[in-house]
């Protein structure tokens, strides 16, 4: 299965995407994770992306299209993939459609995670992430050890500061919300669009997500 996760920052795409990929036995591609790794390694791609990311702005489309092409052509992605936050603008949706067509593949479904802004701001404002494996935590203090990998330390993401959070929510409304319309308009010929209520316990949201794809 090839699934695209769409939704505002803080809706749980990363957490649910990881679970979904594990359950389906396919890899997860998160452009945010790829870009953060590039920033950490100091590659030219990372250096170019860092300023945009720190401010909470979207990274330019050509960078994202490059990541899509490179990753989707890998043999690991052949039998399916969970695409987390990979498409955030209409040109990226068009680009993904082109890349998939070139590979002779199709998206099966677009999963849209919905949560009100107050909930997103609360989650992002209280979020820490592991500086080693990237696992996100809500309400766990910075400086403590990551339970998942046991190696990293929990830190605050720079783009989880109030001003960057505001920017990311604005970017979602302006640039990513139209992507939903783009997929909805093509639903009859392409991927099914399903909505998931992303408010609630993590396990409960996972159940809703699996049900939405008939699993
Ligand atoms: P995330 O980890 O999904 O919250 O993404 C963190 C940041 O990476 C975003 O705020 C953007 O700056 C950048 N980013 C990730 N994916 C994309 C994308 N598909 N298009 C543009 N920027 C992206």
């Amino acid at each position: 299965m090839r699934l695209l996760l769409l939704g505002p920052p803080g809706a749980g795409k990363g957490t649910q995407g990881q679970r979904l990929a594990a359950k389906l036995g396919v890899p997860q591609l998160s452009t945010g994770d790829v870009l953060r790794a590039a920033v950490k390694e100091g590659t030219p791609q990372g250096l170019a992306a860092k300023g945009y990311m720190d401010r909470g702005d979207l990274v330019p489309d050509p960078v994202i299209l490059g990541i899509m092409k490179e990753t989707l052509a890998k043999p690991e992605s052949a039998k399916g993939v969970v695409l987390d936050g990979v498409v955030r603008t209409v040109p990226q949706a068009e680009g993904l459609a082109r890349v998939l067509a070139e590979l002779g593949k199709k998206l099966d479904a677009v999963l849209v995670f919905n949560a009100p802004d107050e909930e997103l701001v609360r989650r992002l404002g209280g979020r820490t992430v592991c500086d080693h494996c990237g696992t996100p935590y809500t309400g766990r203090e910075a400086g403590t050890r990551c339970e998942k990998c046991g190696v990293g330390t929990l830190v605050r993401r720079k783009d989880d500061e109030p001003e960057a959070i505001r920017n990311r929510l604005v970017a979602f409304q302006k640039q990513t919300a139209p992507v939903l319309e783009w997929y909805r308009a093509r639903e009859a010929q392409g991927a099914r669009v399903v909505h998931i209520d992303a408010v609630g316990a993590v396990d409960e949201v996972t159940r809703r997500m699996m049900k939405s794809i008939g699993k």
Side-chain angles (χ1 to χ4, degrees), residues 16-174:
Q16 298 297 341
Q18 249 178 28
R19 290 177 161 215
L20 182 58
K23 281 178 189 281
L24 297 175
V26 300
Q28 177 194 23
L29 167 60
S30 151
T31 35
D33 286 349
V34 171
L35 290 167
R36 271 186 293 279
V39 169
K40 207 167 170 185
E41 283 167 33
T43 66
Q45 190 183 57
L47 293 176
K50 188 175 186 310
Y52 295 97
M53 295 176 76
D54 286 350
R55 288 190 299 275
D57 291 334
L58 293 185
V59 171
D61 291 337
V63 177
I64 304 298
L65 292 171
I67 297 172
M68 272 183 204
K69 270 193 189 155
E70 217 173 274
T71 325
L72 291 173
K74 286 188 181 161
E76 303 90 274
S77 313
K79 70 174 183 146
V81 67
V82 171
L83 301 170
D84 156 20
V86 170
V87 172
R88 297 186 199 206
T89 66
V90 169
Q92 291 178 16
E94 291 165 346
L96 176 64
R98 270 197 309 277
V99 172
L100 289 174
E102 277 163 22
L103 294 167
K105 309 231 150 79
K106 272 184 15 182
L107 269 187
D108 294 287
V110 177
L111 312 189
V112 185
F113 288 75
N114 298 308
D117 276 6
E118 313 84 77
E119 173 75 7
L120 302 171
V121 170
R122 191 187 62 77
R123 286 187 190 176
L124 294 170
R127 175 163 80 173
T128 48
V129 297
C130 172
D131 65 0
H132 182 71
C133 70
T135 298
Y137 292 89
T138 308
R140 201 77 64 78
E141 269 187 43
T144 49
R145 179 61 51 92
C146 173
E147 273 173 23
K148 173 120 184 262
C149 70
V151 179
T153 305
L154 305 192
V155 293
R156 295 258 315 144
R157 267 170 56 170
K158 214 166 179 171
D159 61 350
D160 283 343
E161 297 302 328
E163 193 171 337
I165 292 177
R166 271 195 299 277
N167 259 344
R168 288 159 73 201
L169 291 173
V170 169
F172 176 78
Q173 281 311 331
K174 267 201 179 137

